[in-house]
Amino acid sequence: MTSAGEETLDSDHDVPPDASHDDIGTESSLLAKRGRYHYLKCTTCRQKKKKCEPVDRVWPARCNLCVTLSLECSPPEAIRERPAGVIHPPLSPLGPRAPHGKITKFPKPHRTSGSGSTPLISSAGRHLLPTSHPPALGESLCERCQRLEISQARFLASAPRAGLGKAEEGIPRQRISLGLISQVRANLERCRFCCLVWKAALDQLRLANRHTNDLDAGISVHATWEIDGRRQVSLSKNDDSFFEPVTRHIRLSWDTPDLLNDAYVVLCGDDPRVVGVQPAFLGRRIINLTQAPAVMVATTNRWINHCNSHHRNCRPTELTPLRPSQHLRVVDVGNVKLVPLTESMDYVVLSYTWEAATERPLQRNFKDSWHDLGLQEVESQLPQTIRDAIKFVRNFGKQYLWIDSLCIVQDDELDKRENYSVIDRIFANSALTICAVRSSFSDPMSTQGIGQHILDCGEKMSLMVHHPLETYVQSSPWSQGAWTCQDRLLSGRCLIFTESRVWFQCQEESMSEDIFESSFQGCSADWVQSPAQIWSDLKQSNAQLNFRGYIKCVESYTCRKLPREDHALRAFEGISHFLGAYFKTRFFSGLPSSYFDVAMLWTPASSGTALRTYQGQQVAPSWSWASWTGQATYGSPIVTGAVENIDAWLREHTWISWFLVDRHSVIGEIGTYAKSDLADRADGREPSPKETGSRFIRVASRETRWPSLNRFAFNKTVPALSSDRMDTDAAAPVYFLQFWTWSAHFRLGVSSDGGETGVHAAYSTPRIHRYNILDCNTDICGSIVLPDHFAQRIESQRQYEFIALADAKSFRQEELPEWTFYIPKERDDSFWDLWYVLLLETDDGGLSRRVGLGKVFKDAFHQSFQPGRDWREFILA
């Protein structure tokens, strides 16, 4: 019996989890006859009477003859008896392994001098974690790690190279279990690859400020061969191109992603034994540098020159120039004084986490002094991060630096509004954005980050642990602030200083201090995880990709912390302007007008959400995710169907005409089908082109199912706001939605799973509360997710008001675990029989507020408790 967390793959027979019974029987019989047979033959070789031996003695694989003749290699059919006295390792799907768990030793590599172990190479001034000595180089890998069949050729995914033979093709992406973390730790004295796995886990514990005691011994570890580096190959002059694989890495994954992120093991490209190989995307040792700042400047220049030479589409397609303004300024690093920001300036931007105790922000009483006399008197009092940035930019050869704390008058609302209205242009037009993930970055000796882990793991091969950039970023205070979210997203090029490494990321590539950058146009797995990939999604003329970019921005932003609750929309304003330029639409309270119906389908990621208030006032409309604490998501299962084909869904499955209202009057219609531009006072920006509603013309035949009432005539008015409302420096416009739709009343009941969904784990996020929606006969007719503050006061006999938003495609298993045959259809046959619904709370003044989003069978609205299913007018605050 296997231990908890281990797969069947770890048993004595080592059968892949997806192998059929026939495969298992064939493998067992071959192993049982090991002493009598020499090699196998495929059908092709059997007919041609040729010797048939798979490449590298691994079965199944294409044999040598079939590779030469470009033929398909069939399963073995003939077996020839082996001559007496000849011993060969068995041909097994899992590599050179004998039956009964005996290990076939790999060739003994050349032993290094000294103790036989390769010391960990320290980065510049970086202190290493205390670790045990790795096993002697001559010892083989442990039983589990041998199943990875590690070789130098397997890390190279492209064409054959001199001295290496042919790189293997078609390496399966099978997840190989390395056992439990406790088993990995027990193998440190006899397996070098287990040493690398253990060091990868320790690195992440240190980055997260955790102790090894926090590491559950029952955590499972898996390894997978994956394509890493890719080079762009052009097929014609018409920009027809594709990315071909160049390198592979071994991906280490754990079954507790909330504690340990995935890590990579890569081949070292600067190993003298690796000859005839382009080192692009392979590991690089970071040596001790006595002139680290100068070397870092040279490295940064090399990265930027590479970007200029190879990345044709790296910069934004349309950069709106910054118009000169008395409110826009930068720091001249030559004489450390403030100067006006002009259109032609080549400047650098600093993004960092404010240090409240040492900040000296710009204020009105010394604005003129900093312009005329400079900052020399207060320079020594500035945070270390700002002083480092000024020094670095000066060495970098640039003259101007933009820093929000020094370039925006913090006690002047007009100055702040002018800067925030063009914040997207400030970042996009900069030559470079320095992201100070760690507090100090100019002096490499000032950090105690994790060092490099490089070990010899076989002949002609040194392997290195590499952590993706997001592992360093996510564990830092810099990534937890809402304001820094837009800094990295809006920047075309970022130089990111983490605790242990320096990275450069642009819109097409990610380059690291410990990975060789390519000498050609390419990309790596690190770039795939970068927020910069959103740029490529937005450049596509595809509604799904465009909205996916919006989803990434919202989910990344809403999981961060705000300095004050009333900053919820202000800190997202730059992202709204950035996305609005690509969508060619405006944003209202964080939602895009051209995708308004689908943007309303957000749900909280946990049940602990609540309405944001500041000084007793709601900071945003309840229909916006900005009005609620906690992360908002557009994930499955709620949006299934709506985002599969957004164009068709908006055209055929929506009907509400949304009108934006303020405290005085109706501003105008918004949403996909809005035909008129809104007044400039709606958002204070210049008029944008017409909304994209002309793309989406509703199907005329479907108009018959919607009421023919005049949806533009309203009877209700917005109540006047109380006079004690406090307008703050970050107060957003107070918007309301006025519209017509159906409504009905239903009861709420606890779901069969106890009202909670989500995977329970020691490090998991709080669960969400899912409730059943019940009709007048207490039959389940829908499902909804509710926040804690509302779920705690649900009354079983009370009827709650729901409104229909749009057509929903189907119920997923987690939404409705038991199919109740509320309609005479099987679950798999039920499509577009549902409505998205909002649960509302209405106050005495007639204003309604959103509580939760769910789905209900349409038939239930025709059997509701009250005649309230009729077409009704609503004002949603």
Side-chain angles (χ1 to χ4, degrees), residues 327-346:
H327 300 285
L328 301 180
R329 55 190 71 86
V330 291
V331 177
D332 185 336
V333 298
N335 48 27
V336 196
K337 62 185 296 186
L338 295 179
V339 296
L341 175 60
T342 62
E343 183 177 339
S344 59
M345 276 187 176
D346 190 18

Side-chain angles (χ1 to χ4, degrees), residues 369-438:
S369 174
W370 285 10
H371 272 277
D372 299 332
L373 303 178
L375 289 75
Q376 287 83 357
E377 293 184 2
V378 298
E379 185 176 4
S380 61
Q381 305 173 22
L382 296 176
Q384 183 65 45
T385 304
I386 294 180
R387 285 181 281 160
D388 290 343
I390 293 174
K391 186 185 305 181
F392 180 86
V393 172
R394 190 182 295 135
N395 294 334
F396 186 53
K398 301 295 182 182
Q399 187 175 357
Y400 304 108
L401 174 65
W402 188 90
I403 309 173
D404 57 353
S405 62
L406 301 183
C407 298
I408 302 177
V409 183
Q410 301 300 319
D411 58 351
D412 186 337
E413 174 59 24
L414 176 60
D415 197 85
K416 295 173 69 173
R417 187 182 300 116
E418 289 292 325
N419 277 269
Y420 292 141
S421 65
V422 294
I423 194 70
D424 54 324
R425 304 180 200 175
I426 291 176
F427 279 93
N429 284 278
S430 65
L432 182 70
T433 296
I434 298 174
C435 300
V437 175
R438 70 180 190 224

Side-chain angles (χ1 to χ4, degrees), residues 106-111 137-139 141 150-153 155 164 192 267 271 273-274 455-463:
F106 284 96
K108 186 174 181 179
H110 176 70
R111 183 180 295 273
L137 185 57
E139 298 184 21
L141 302 179
I150 300 173
S151 66
Q152 191 178 111
F155 285 96
L164 293 176
R192 291 190 153 228
L267 177 69
D271 192 315
R273 296 169 297 180
V274 180
L455 292 177
D456 280 353
C457 290
E459 188 176 6
K460 298 182 180 180
M461 185 171 53
S462 293
L463 302 184

Side-chain angles (χ1 to χ4, degrees), residues 8 193 201 211 233 278 390 404 419 435 484 502 556 578 676 727:
T8 309
F193 193 81
H211 192 268
V233 179
Q278 163 64 259
I390 293 174
D404 57 353
N419 277 269
C435 300
T484 58
V502 181
S556 175
F578 163 70
S676 61
D727 289 331

